[in-house]
Amino acid sequence: MTLVLATDDTGGPEIFASVQGEGPSAGEPTAFMRLSRCNLACVWCDTAYTWHFSGDERPHRSGETFDRKANQVTLEVEDVADRILALEQRRLVVTGGEPMLQAPALARLLAALPDLTVEIETNGTAFPPPKLDVWVDQFNISPKLAHSGNARELAIIPKVLRTYVSDGRAFFKFVVAEPADVDEVRELVRAHALPRGRVFLMAEGTDSGTLRKRQEWLVPLCLEHGFRLSDRLHIHLFGDTRGT
């Protein structure tokens, strides 16, 4: 069984060690694996090389498309497991793209890594099948707001969100670009009974200046509405780069 991964700047698989930059585990030493392909298309996506391939007409603000062959690599699950173990970390973050698109192979991988604490970063549009769910310690759910450019009926799947709401392993992270986006977050929190203590607001941005500027108005909104703030530590430390 194989997994399709994104590539790093050398053309190898994007498997690396760093600190978690976002959400409740920020700062934790972590092994990362970035999978390729996504079922959504965010216009501001900072990993468009995982899905915006040549011929894909879904919009992205950069206008750039990527050669699929140069930005994807297929590896046997056993090879991926060996590469992750070689990083000698206790925590694994599976990100993308959208990891749920490769759930069967991902379940096989995690079964080979039973001693790791596993986080999956997902857009929250699909359930984890039981064979995958059993290996996951934390779900980082990032439902997409209207400014992402995705149609609401594709980005927000109520029955899936309700399942994650009832799961104490799930945290919800909303990317916001302007204060009005927080009104949409509040509406989703009400409509789907999202627990505020597990809701993070994170400024959209791929450079420190933009993040800091937006956090100036985001912090007061977190205080007003009882949401948690997520920074993007990796952007401050390494910039908008692969493998960090």
Side-chain angles (χ1 to χ4, degrees), residues 208-221:
S208 287
T210 298
L211 293 174
R212 292 299 185 230
K213 184 176 181 180
R214 288 175 172 169
Q215 286 167 351
E216 289 178 3
W217 50 258
L218 189 54
V219 168
L221 288 171

Side-chain angles (χ1 to χ4, degrees), residues 168-223:
R169 298 171 297 171
F171 294 83
F172 301 87
K173 180 183 66 184
F174 291 92
V175 177
V176 297
E178 57 184 44
D181 296 332
V182 179
D183 293 332
E184 187 179 353
V185 174
R186 294 174 62 206
E187 184 270 323
L188 289 169
V189 167
R190 286 193 299 267
H192 303 289
L194 304 186
R196 289 178 184 268
R198 290 191 272 137
V199 174
F200 286 79
L201 303 185
M202 185 177 76
E204 189 276 312
T206 54
D207 64 88
S208 287
T210 298
L211 293 174
R212 292 299 185 230
K213 184 176 181 180
R214 288 175 172 169
Q215 286 167 351
E216 289 178 3
W217 50 258
L218 189 54
V219 168
L221 288 171
C222 287
L223 292 171

